[in-house]
Amino acid sequence: MCSSDLKRVIVGADRLSTELLQRAYEMAAVADHYRAQLPVEVLVSALSVDYASWLEASAGGNSAFGLLYAYPSEDGSACYRTRNDVVTQAIIDVINGGRLSRTGELTVLSKMVSACTGATAVYHEFCTSVLVASDRFQQLRCDEGRGLFDCALDALPFKCRTILHHKARWAKNKCNDPLEAEKLLEIALETRNYPYARQPERSEEH
């Protein structure tokens, strides 16, 4: 598929593509851009569809689905990413309207993080993979990162010590706000380990 053909599929000009799949591969591209696994649970929640609707939309024969690659996570559940880095970058460029802005990708990322309202571990792990483990996240501006931290803390059904710790570090190192950092650190230290987390949360200094 050449670059012009790829862009026609991305923007929905291909008659076989659907709005649902277009939003899905935007989300897969943004997750891949931030080096985060995208579990099917997070994907369908962010798409506001049930699992059966997603299976129907992604059934074989749709050319848009060819941009996505399904693979099993460590626990055996399905995750999605784009076919390769070239596809990821092409989709990111379309979402952002070029390479001088990241407004589009942040809108998509916020939607996925805000969809992490479930109590199971996959939602917590998606948030921490973006906010804690992603090198690309560290390139964001103060307000951009702060907004995503707020999305995660508002969405997750339990307080997360790890995210609170990293929001405190963000406030101190990125936003130059040591007072907010100190308040957040105090809250984090009083927060219990996140329920159902596969690995215990560590107490960290900021």
Side-chain angles (χ1 to χ4, degrees):
M1 179 181 292
C2 70
S3 177
S4 60
D5 289 337
L6 177 60
K7 289 192 175 183
R8 281 200 295 272
V9 173
I10 293 168
V11 300
D14 190 314
R15 290 178 297 175
L16 295 177
S17 67
T18 67
E19 181 185 356
L20 180 65
L21 281 175
Q22 181 175 326
R23 289 189 289 132
Y25 54 69
E26 287 175 351
M27 292 178 184
V30 171
D32 190 54
H33 194 54
Y34 284 80
R35 298 295 184 258
Q37 287 189 333
L38 178 58
V40 66
E41 295 91 339
V42 175
L43 177 61
V44 298
S45 179
L47 291 170
S48 299
V49 298
D50 57 40
Y51 187 58
S53 297
W54 166 249
L55 289 179
E56 180 181 355
S58 61
N62 194 310
S63 62
F65 191 67
L67 297 176
L68 293 177
Y69 175 70
Y71 65 98
S73 64
E74 292 182 359
D75 64 2
S77 62
C79 291
Y80 287 89
R81 61 176 173 80
T82 60
R83 286 289 176 178
N84 53 54
D85 289 342
V86 173
V87 172
T88 292
Q89 190 59 61
I91 296 173
I92 293 296
D93 288 347
V94 171
I95 294 170
N96 288 331
R99 299 195 178 186
L100 299 180
S101 170
R102 50 181 170 233
T103 301
E105 71 186 59
L106 291 177
T107 298
V108 175
L109 188 58
S110 295
K111 189 171 186 63
M112 290 190 289
V113 171
S114 295
C116 291
T117 56
T120 55
V122 292
Y123 300 99
H124 174 252
E125 290 177 358
F126 178 78
C127 289
T128 55
S129 66
V130 172
L131 303 175
V132 176
S134 172
D135 291 339
R136 193 174 298 278
F137 180 82
Q138 299 302 318
Q139 299 172 14
L140 300 181
R141 298 193 307 266
C142 164
D143 58 326
E144 294 170 336
R146 180 181 276 162
L148 287 166
F149 278 116
D150 289 342
C151 284
L153 292 170
D154 289 343
L156 291 169
F158 310 104
K159 284 185 178 180
C160 175
R161 178 192 297 176
T162 297
I163 292 177
L164 284 165
H165 267 295
H166 282 266
K167 187 181 179 184
R169 297 167 97 177
W170 189 267
K172 179 182 178 182
N173 299 327
K174 282 280 189 174
C175 302
N176 194 28
D177 192 342
L179 293 179
E180 181 190 11
E182 193 63 35
K183 291 177 183 177
L184 288 167
L185 184 61
E186 290 175 2
I187 297 172
L189 292 173
E190 295 172 357
T191 301
R192 297 181 178 180
N193 284 338
Y194 197 88
Y196 313 116
R198 293 193 175 103
Q199 295 182 348
E201 297 181 287
R202 296 180 300 173
S203 294
E204 304 175 43
E205 296 299 329
H206 70 287

